[in-house]
Amino acid sequence: MYSKLSAPILLASACSAALYESVSQLPGFAYDFVVVGGGTGGAVIANRLTENPSISVLVLEAGVSNQGATNIEVPLLAPFASPQTAYDWNYTVVPQPGLDGRTPAYPRGFVLGGSSSTNYLTYTRGSRDDYDRYAAISGDEGWSWDALQPYIKRNERFTPPADGHNTTGQFLPSAHGYSGINAVTLPGYPTAIDHLVVNATQEFGDEFPFNLDMNAGDVVGIGWTQETILNGARSSAATSYLGDSFIHRPNLHVLLHAHATQVFPDANAKSGKQIAFNTVEFAENRQTRYNVTAKKEIVLSAGSFNTPQLLMLSGIGNKTALASLGIPTLLDLPSVGQNMSDHPLVANPFVVSGTQTSDSIFENSTRLAADIQAWNSSYPHEGPLVDGLTTLLGWLRLPENDPIFETYPDPSAGPHSSHYELIFANGFAMPGSASPSTGNYMTIFSNVISPIARGSVTLNSTDPFTQPLIDPALLAHPFDTYVVVSAIKAARRFATASAFKGYITGPYEAWANATTDDEIAEYARSTGNSVWHAVGTACMSPKGAEWGVVDPDLKIKGAQGLRVVDASVIPIVPNAHTQAPVYIFAERAADFIKKSWKI
Ligand SMILES: Cc1cc2nc3c(=O)[nH]c(=O)nc-3n(C[C@H](O)[C@H](O)[C@H](O)COP(=O)(O)OP(=O)(O)OC[C@H]3O[C@@H](n4cnc5c(N)ncnc54)[C@H](O)[C@@H]3O)c2cc1C
Ligand SMILES: *[C@@H]1O[C@H](CO)[C@@H](O)[C@H](O)[C@H]1NC(C)=O
Ligand SMILES: *[C@@H]1O[C@H](CO)[C@@H](O)[C@H](O)[C@H]1NC(C)=O
Ligand SMILES: *[C@@H]1O[C@H](CO)[C@@H](O)[C@H](O)[C@H]1NC(C)=O
Ligand SMILES: *[C@@H]1O[C@H](CO)[C@@H](O)[C@H](O)[C@H]1NC(C)=O
Ligand SMILES: *[C@@H]1O[C@H](CO)[C@@H](O)[C@H](O)[C@H]1NC(C)=O
Ligand SMILES: *[C@@H]1O[C@H](CO)[C@@H](O)[C@H](O)[C@H]1NC(C)=O
Ligand SMILES: *[C@@H]1O[C@H](CO)[C@@H](O)[C@H](O)[C@H]1NC(C)=O
Ligand SMILES: *[C@@H]1O[C@H](CO)[C@@H](O)[C@H](O)[C@H]1NC(C)=O
Ligand SMILES: *[C@@H]1O[C@H](CO)[C@@H](O)[C@H](O)[C@H]1NC(C)=O
Ligand SMILES: *[C@@H]1O[C@H](CO)[C@@H](O)[C@H](O)[C@H]1NC(C)=O
């Protein structure tokens, strides 16, 4: 079905590198596929479609190159890659009533690889129940856990940890893929708290059981963190799917600094029941605008905030809301930007007696420089910088007979799923707050995993270069606040394990005094944040449903030639940090596209 002529014409003038910094280098303005956003989802689509050499793909990436960015490459430095850096969109959220009206930063990667280049590297797929629920919501059994296994494996390349230690007892080998594209590994440098946490799971096995592998379908329990790291350096969508082995394909073109501003229907298409889209307008460095044509499809992979923004700017959204901004409606889809779910996070720092914590690195510039030097001069990389912030984390349920369930039905995805998460960090970490300049700490994060609140993304302006209004609705529902209070109390109980005796000195400052439930809730409201897992803003729903934005094949309802492949399509936030779910969705989406064009 594809045109055999299209690709060669383009390629005649292509230079060897397919990564372009400027429109002037671009060999043409017509491609089979145009992918908006070279992030987590977009990179998978670009890679898989260009496996066929006769198919041409252009990726428009608004952000900058990922090359040579120390804070992106070095895992422990991830917290310095954003927010408010050259690699960030610099977004903030609207005032959050659940957070005392505060407006925290909400980072998103403005760089090739998208948020997979700036995230905190944990690799978590979610639970069996999450995917079975997506199958039920969408009416497509293909989204179930069992059916997705081949796509999970296609993404994953499980590799030895940086220090090559014996990983027996730290994961379930049969649950993993070893020949996929994106590298995954276990922690590669021992931290001071690893064995304390593991021992505490033995002491408190009933409430806080050890989970050998949270990526094997049942997340419940505490286990070793798997991370998107290869030989001690970040494995992102940019270094894997768009890495050296693929970026030189002559049919793959990636243009940086190219900000898509609108999609347009095909002016020559015969008017039918569906609107056929084929044009993407973009601006280079937010200045000169150009149009590119997609002969087959446009794939939107701009992420949970920018994809709905681009849809609305293009006249796809709630008709009434668009009219109030003077945007003519092409497709009246009121679910665009609605139904956002996210994970609210609260940091619980403890003062510790040990000195082998990340604080000793970050508080001492001599030590930090020496550790970066040691990391840089070794391969596989060595030293304490080879891991992200957390080497252990866990997913836990409220008790079955918790009185809260008399008021609200249980919103968790099922028995293999959690209500909250505990994340263990060997040092001080509190998003939005500066770290103390002295001292040693351990932080346990309490995250709400089964929120009832739903947020939204709406347009503030028709200017594509301003941010949309982002409302993640953090702690905006009484159930969500109840869960976070329960999770903070759980963190405190866990810290009483005998393994921590002599190590933990006490809770750090503000939350030391928060003892009643009301005080703990106020601590959560005054220090809480997001852990940046927003999904659902271009939600999939059954074909023909009255709500939703995309069909189960991720095509925009009522349109031709326009698909969404990123976190926006995921209906409900999973029992996971969201990069692996996006990779998994994108691997299946690539198959949809290949099948529908027989390529
Ligand atoms: C700081 C941080 C930490 C996180 N930590 C973790 C973690 O440890 N583990 C985990 O699993 N998940 C984590 N996440 C979440 C996870 O990284 C994201 O959910 C996931 O990467 C989103 O993938 P995506 O494809 O939807 O969007 P992205 O990967 O963000 O890709 C969107 C891309 O589109 C580009 N773009 C946007 N608008 C336009 C436009 N108009 N024109 C052209 N290009 C455009 C962007 O620049 C970006 O490259 C974290 C996220 C953040 C921000
Ligand atoms: C975010 O801010 C940084 C530093 O101020 C800047 O370099 C970067 O370009 C900004 N990002 C965007 C998308 O404008
Ligand atoms: C790793 O440890 C396990 C159990 O402790 C042991 O059975 C196995 O032989 C070890 N593997 C290697 C390669 O040493
Ligand atoms: C963990 O527990 C084991 C056995 O119960 C004990 O031998 C070991 O010293 C403990 N380790 C730590 C760091 O507490
Ligand atoms: C792109 O095409 C659309 C629709 O044909 C048109 O309205 C718009 O002005 C074009 N933009 C550029 C930069 O040519
Ligand atoms: C569309 O937006 C309007 C105005 O914001 C709102 O009142 C209405 O409920 C929305 N429609 C739907 C179907 O969500
Ligand atoms: C939000 O999603 C639920 C299913 O999870 C659906 O029933 C509801 O209609 C959606 N709401 C909107 C506004 O899209
Ligand atoms: C800072 O680090 C250097 C190098 O590791 C070390 O020699 C020095 O003692 C450290 N300073 C402090 C105050 O810990
Ligand atoms: C790593 O070493 C190379 C030279 O081998 C140098 O160019 C680069 O700047 C170093 N990076 C860091 C983060 O020190
Ligand atoms: C929304 O637009 C108004 C008016 O231009 C502006 O003052 C405000 O800062 C914008 N809000 C955000 C969150 O960007
Ligand atoms: C905690 O309470 C004590 C005693 O009331 C007080 O002295 C201290 O300042 C409080 N700490 C914080 C961080 O609020």
Side-chain angles (χ1 to χ4, degrees), residues 29 63 145 195 250 342 413 437 518 548:
F29 289 88
W145 171 260
H195 290 289
D342 195 11
S437 54
D518 283 349

Side-chain angles (χ1 to χ4, degrees), residues 40 43-44 47-48 113 116-117 119 121-125 151-159 176-185 226-230 233-242 246 579-584 587:
T40 316
V44 174
N47 178 303
R48 293 305 183 187
S116 77
S117 287
N119 70 21
L121 306 115
T122 66
Y123 171 86
T124 50
R125 298 169 179 168
Y151 298 106
I152 293 177
K153 303 278 161 69
R154 221 174 266 190
N155 166 251
E156 185 184 26
R157 178 180 158 212
F158 200 88
T159 59
H176 292 274
Y178 298 84
S179 55
I181 291 185
N182 174 48
V184 176
T185 189
Q226 297 166 19
E227 308 173 285
T228 45
I229 292 173
L230 178 63
R234 177 187 296 271
S235 172
S236 68
T239 67
S240 61
Y241 285 90
L242 297 178
F246 306 109
Q579 67 172 338
V582 173
Y583 281 130
I584 295 164
E587 282 285 6

Side-chain angles (χ1 to χ4, degrees), residues 192-200 202 498-500:
I193 63 170
D194 293 348
H195 290 289
L196 306 180
V197 174
V198 171
N199 275 16
Q202 284 154 13
S498 45
F500 295 114

Side-chain angles (χ1 to χ4, degrees), residues 23 26 28-31 34 58 60 255 258-267 278-284 287-294 298:
V23 179
L26 203 63
F29 289 88
Y31 293 79
V34 176
L58 172 67
L60 296 172
L255 179 63
H259 185 135
T261 51
Q262 200 168 333
V263 294
F264 292 99
D266 181 352
N278 79 334
T279 302
V280 183
E281 184 188 70
F282 69 94
E284 179 166 41
Q287 289 161 9
T288 313
R289 298 205 192 188
Y290 302 87
N291 274 347
V292 284
T293 308
I298 299 165

Side-chain angles (χ1 to χ4, degrees), residues 174-449:
S174 62
H176 292 274
Y178 298 84
S179 55
I181 291 185
N182 174 48
V184 176
T185 189
L186 283 158
Y189 188 86
T191 84
I193 63 170
D194 293 348
H195 290 289
L196 306 180
V197 174
V198 171
N199 275 16
T201 65
Q202 284 154 13
E203 180 174 349
F204 289 151
D206 287 345
E207 188 182 4
F208 304 105
F210 180 74
N211 185 342
L212 177 61
D213 200 324
M214 61 188 76
N215 284 320
D218 185 339
V219 300
V220 178
I222 292 170
W224 293 93
T225 306
Q226 297 166 19
E227 308 173 285
T228 45
I229 292 173
L230 178 63
N231 290 327
R234 177 187 296 271
S235 172
S236 68
T239 67
S240 61
Y241 285 90
L242 297 178
D244 286 340
S245 324
F246 306 109
I247 194 71
H248 301 295
R249 285 178 180 164
N251 54 332
L252 170 58
H253 301 250
V254 179
L255 179 63
L256 300 174
H257 319 294
H259 185 135
T261 51
Q262 200 168 333
V263 294
F264 292 99
D266 181 352
N268 302 317
K270 289 196 217 78
S271 58
K273 274 225 308 268
Q274 300 207 310
I275 303 180
F277 287 84
N278 79 334
T279 302
V280 183
E281 184 188 70
F282 69 94
E284 179 166 41
N285 289 313
R286 305 187 172 187
Q287 289 161 9
T288 313
R289 298 205 192 188
Y290 302 87
N291 274 347
V292 284
T293 308
K295 285 174 281 188
K296 293 184 167 51
E297 278 191 32
I298 299 165
V299 178
L300 302 184
S301 300
S304 293
F305 304 150
N306 291 25
T307 284
Q309 179 187 35
L310 190 55
L311 288 171
M312 291 184 277
L313 289 171
S314 305
I316 303 171
N318 176 328
K319 193 175 179 165
T320 321
L322 293 179
S324 71
L325 284 156
I327 300 174
T329 297
L330 289 181
L331 284 169
D332 184 15
L333 292 177
S335 293
V336 171
Q338 301 298 309
N339 243 343
M340 187 209 292
S341 55
D342 195 11
H343 291 152
L345 160 145
V346 173
N348 310 303
F350 296 86
V351 181
V352 302
S353 61
T355 56
Q356 300 305 306
T357 69
S358 61
D359 313 289
S360 298
I361 302 172
F362 296 134
E363 290 164 4
N364 180 343
S365 55
T366 315
R367 167 84 195 273
L368 178 60
D371 284 343
I372 291 176
Q373 165 67 30
W375 179 90
N376 198 28
S377 58
S378 51
Y379 198 80
H381 296 290
E382 287 172 6
L385 308 186
V386 301
D387 292 320
L389 213 54
T390 173
T391 50
L392 286 137
L393 56 83
W395 311 85
L396 299 148
R397 294 184 64 77
L398 297 176
E400 216 138 296
N401 60 355
D402 195 298
I404 193 71
F405 297 126
E406 289 159 22
T407 314
Y408 303 106
D410 182 355
S412 84
H416 313 291
S417 305
S418 65
H419 297 106
Y420 67 90
E421 181 186 12
L422 298 181
I423 304 177
F424 301 90
N426 180 38
F428 189 95
M430 190 185 269
S433 301
S435 297
S437 54
T438 58
N440 291 93
Y441 307 89
M442 173 179 93
T443 305
I444 305 182
F445 294 98
S446 297
N447 295 345
V448 179
I449 300 302

